[in-house]
Amino acid sequence: MTAVMAIAYNTVREALSRRVVLLFLFGALVLIVLSPLFSFLSPREELTLLKSLGLGVIQLASMFICIVMGISLIPTEIERRTIYTVLSKPVQRYEFVLGKFLGGILTMLFNILFMGIVFFAVVAWRGTPKQALELWKGFMMIFFQMSILVSLAIFFSVFLTPFVNFFMSLGVYIVGTLSSVTESLMKGENRTIIQKGIGAVLHYLLPQFGNFNVQNKIIHPETRIINEGVYYVQNIGYAVLYIAVLLIIAVIIFDRREV
């Protein structure tokens, strides 16, 4: 476990020093801080737009940070040949993959917390502290959604180039956010067997990122989730299980790869 934590620490330190990650973070913070400029709207409309814009910016910036960071975590070590130094020590390959994943989600958690604190302050300033506190569920679901995305990028990185991995991770994320569409394709009465089959494969095989989008429920309090506690527990459990499966397969492939 010491090896995993050491690899995770170095991963966080290197990721936070990357200019492209800091660029996405800085851009998101600027948009969040400038969002109150929509002061020409009524107070209620302004707050609704502020929440929608802020959560959307945090989710979009987190997605690009996860993909850009995740696709290079392992390939960069191979390209620099630093992986030979690491694996020459008493470090197992599963510890290396797990350390990279842990470092990736800790970096992503830092970014979400940083953007979340700034966004919380802006909403508390334009609205009330109580309205700002309601945002924590959105931050939590973005975190688990991005944790799946980090594990997906690491999974692809053990057998794909970073260039291909970028588009694969981005494509799976986009399709995964359309989980309601794939479910409709799978269950639609006027669909052919082939269409239903394609819908079922996409719906059950790809991660259902769309289930983590709770922004609409937060922005519009009148839209309530039935059995809210069960909803969050089920989706968090799904995220943990999906991540575990991806990392296990990634370790198996990486263990058989000649590095």
Side-chain angles (χ1 to χ4, degrees), residues 2-12 86 91 95-97 99-100 103:
T2 303
V4 173
M5 296 306 297
I7 294 170
Y9 171 75
N10 286 324
T11 301
V12 172
V86 176
V91 177
E95 293 177 315
F96 181 78
V97 174
K100 286 295 179 184

Side-chain angles (χ1 to χ4, degrees), residues 42-213:
S42 67
R44 182 176 179 180
E45 290 174 334
E46 178 190 347
L47 191 61
T48 300
L49 184 60
L50 180 63
K51 289 181 179 179
S52 177
L53 181 63
L55 288 171
V57 167
I58 292 175
Q59 185 178 25
L60 192 62
S62 299
M63 180 202 71
F64 278 110
I65 289 173
C66 284
I67 294 178
V68 171
M69 175 185 62
I71 63 175
S72 61
L73 287 178
I74 293 179
T76 300
E77 298 283 355
I78 297 175
E79 184 180 345
R80 294 177 181 171
R81 298 182 178 275
T82 51
I83 191 172
Y84 300 110
T85 305
V86 176
L87 295 181
S88 64
K89 299 177 180 178
V91 177
Q92 302 296 322
R93 293 197 176 203
Y94 79 87
E95 293 177 315
F96 181 78
V97 174
L98 190 59
K100 286 295 179 184
F101 168 73
L102 188 58
I105 63 169
L106 287 176
T107 304
M108 184 262 301
L109 177 61
F110 170 80
N111 285 292
I112 291 177
L113 282 177
F114 196 45
M115 290 184 286
I117 290 172
V118 174
F119 185 43
F120 174 88
V122 172
V123 173
W125 170 47
R126 305 301 295 182
T128 64
K130 182 182 178 182
Q131 291 169 321
L133 284 173
E134 294 172 350
L135 299 171
W136 74 270
K137 295 176 184 175
F139 299 151
M140 178 181 68
M141 297 307 276
I142 291 175
F143 168 74
F144 283 103
Q145 186 185 55
M146 296 305 149
S147 295
I148 297 177
L149 188 55
V150 171
S151 66
L152 184 70
I154 290 178
F155 166 72
F156 284 140
S157 71
V158 297
F159 60 91
L160 293 178
T161 64
F163 180 78
V164 178
N165 189 355
F166 176 85
F167 290 102
M168 283 294 293
S169 298
L170 182 62
V172 171
Y173 178 80
I174 293 173
V175 176
T177 56
L178 303 174
S179 53
S180 59
V181 176
T182 55
E183 185 177 14
S184 174
L185 182 64
M186 177 181 63
K187 297 181 178 178
E189 294 180 356
N190 56 343
R191 308 295 183 187
T192 64
I193 295 178
I194 296 176
Q195 289 174 327
K196 288 183 178 180
I198 294 174
V201 170
L202 293 176
H203 189 72
Y204 289 116
L205 185 62
L206 301 183
Q208 298 179 21
F209 290 111
N211 291 349
F212 296 85
N213 292 332

